[in-house]
Amino acid sequence: MCGKDATTSDLQDLLIEAIKGMGQYAVRARALGVSDAQADEFMLYGLFTTLTNVNFNPTRFVGLLKEATTHRERLAQAYRAAAQAQGQTPAALSGAAVLQPAGELAQLLEQAATVPVNADLAQVGEDIVGLRALLLYGLKGVAAYAYHALVLGYRDETIFAGVAEALDLLANHPNDAQVLLDAALKLGHLNLRVMELLDAANTGRFGTPTPTKVRITPVAGKAILVSGHDLGDLEALLEQTKDLGIHIYTHGEMLPAHAYPTLKAYPHLVGNYGGAWQDQQRDFAEFPGAILMTS
């Protein structure tokens, strides 16, 4: 429905499984006072890449699987070292925590076939599979918002901890409806914190947005179109093109940029072009200038 092919979809399933393994070790390491900023950030990024229409490049997911494995092994070592240093016996984890992605695409797809969203539907039923999916897709949304705040320099350790906790739960294949519902509600509360953080990041960097009229007709001259969500990328481009006679247009989800005082102060941010993301094949083909994709 969203346009990705089966190979990409399967590799995304496998990446999610690898990230669950990271969550298993991250939770246990954090309980012993150990955290890993790189791994925390990758969990956000990796989940974000599996969100609808973010990345449909299967080769990229093969690389991300390798990155996830590297981060997980580092987390595992840190957890074991911390446990031993505190006189504890490290837990022997299984499943996602020990997943070793294959070296070839065909074998990766075989591995992916064992970890789809509905892997044990016949055993646990639609309600449990649905509640797991509710938690997983909620996680993806949390990760997207949190990652956008992160690239603007805003982070919150409680968000990293909450994401890892939800991943750890999913890695254990929960089949209790109340446990899953409680986890989903808890994640909803966490998402409010994430949205507060992103709002603080956007308004802290670009000012408080106000209702703003936006031009939707072209201006003669050289042009660059900016699509996606990353206001920081737009700001960088506006600064780079200042006083060069190049007009900048927003597209799709970048439209709200016009409401922020810092951004609309650039006179060469002249308007918005095109419709929503589902029109981009036509819109991009017809745009007579360069296109910058963000996010």
Side-chain angles (χ1 to χ4, degrees), residues 116-132:
V117 175
N118 60 350
D120 54 354
L121 175 62
Q123 289 75 38
V124 301
E126 291 182 349
D127 289 345
I128 295 302
V129 168
L131 284 168
R132 290 175 184 169

Side-chain angles (χ1 to χ4, degrees), residues 176-194:
D176 185 304
Q178 191 60 53
V179 168
L180 283 162
L181 183 58
D182 289 345
L185 291 170
K186 186 175 182 179
L187 189 68
H189 285 286
L190 182 67
N191 194 44
L192 288 176
R193 175 64 193 127
V194 173

Side-chain angles (χ1 to χ4, degrees), residues 278-293:
Q278 64 264 26
D279 299 328
Q280 64 192 21
Q281 285 186 314
R282 183 191 65 227
D283 288 344
F284 290 174
E286 294 177 354
F287 186 74
I291 300 171
L292 171 63
M293 298 300 299

Side-chain angles (χ1 to χ4, degrees), residues 1-281:
M1 290 171 60
C2 65
K4 63 188 172 189
D5 58 30
T7 295
T8 300
S9 181
D10 288 350
L11 290 173
Q12 289 182 354
D13 286 344
L14 194 58
L15 177 60
I16 288 169
E17 188 72 5
I19 294 172
K20 289 178 187 176
M22 291 178 62
Q24 289 178 279
Y25 283 113
V27 164
R28 286 156 181 80
R30 190 172 267 107
L32 298 176
V34 176
S35 61
D36 185 318
Q38 281 187 306
D40 287 337
E41 293 173 10
F42 181 85
M43 282 188 277
L44 295 184
Y45 180 75
L47 287 167
F48 176 31
T49 64
T50 68
L51 204 63
T52 299
N53 300 311
V54 171
N55 193 325
F56 288 165
N57 185 337
T59 303
R60 180 70 178 119
F61 285 102
V62 173
L64 288 171
L65 276 164
K66 294 178 181 177
E67 291 183 52
T69 304
T70 299
H71 287 301
R72 187 197 66 208
E73 291 307 308
R74 192 176 65 254
L75 278 168
Q77 291 174 7
Y79 161 62
R80 295 187 189 109
Q84 291 168 354
Q86 297 180 35
Q88 300 181 21
T89 301
L93 302 180
S94 58
V98 296
L99 171 69
Q100 293 296 332
E104 301 295 331
L105 179 59
Q107 286 71 46
L108 284 172
L109 295 178
E110 289 177 4
Q111 289 179 314
T114 67
V115 292
V117 175
N118 60 350
D120 54 354
L121 175 62
Q123 289 75 38
V124 301
E126 291 182 349
D127 289 345
I128 295 302
V129 168
L131 284 168
R132 290 175 184 169
L134 178 65
L135 187 58
L136 173 61
Y137 299 140
L139 264 173
K140 293 185 181 190
V142 164
Y145 284 132
Y147 188 76
H148 279 91
L150 184 65
V151 298
L152 291 176
Y154 284 69
R155 57 190 299 129
D156 184 334
E157 290 302 314
T158 62
I159 294 170
F160 294 126
V163 168
E165 182 181 332
L167 287 167
D168 180 48
L169 176 63
L170 286 172
N172 292 316
H173 308 290
N175 56 18
D176 185 304
Q178 191 60 53
V179 168
L180 283 162
L181 183 58
D182 289 345
L185 291 170
K186 186 175 182 179
L187 189 68
H189 285 286
L190 182 67
N191 194 44
L192 288 176
R193 175 64 193 127
V194 173
M195 293 172 71
E196 289 174 350
L197 188 69
L198 179 57
D199 180 62
N202 286 336
T203 58
R205 176 87 164 260
F206 308 112
T208 301
T210 56
T212 303
K213 290 184 177 181
V214 181
R215 181 188 183 106
I216 58 173
T217 54
V219 179
K222 297 183 183 296
I224 298 176
L225 183 66
V226 185
S227 190
H229 296 265
D230 283 353
L231 298 178
D233 286 353
L234 174 63
E235 181 187 42
L237 180 68
L238 288 168
E239 189 62 29
Q240 290 163 357
T241 54
K242 188 168 58 177
D243 302 324
L244 296 181
I246 301 172
H247 298 135
I248 307 301
Y249 297 82
T250 57
H251 171 268
E253 291 88 349
M254 193 59 76
L255 172 62
H258 294 272
Y260 288 92
T262 297
L263 297 174
K264 65 182 178 182
Y266 288 92
H268 59 303
L269 179 64
V270 295
N272 188 78
Y273 169 85
W277 63 264
Q278 64 264 26
D279 299 328
Q280 64 192 21
Q281 285 186 314

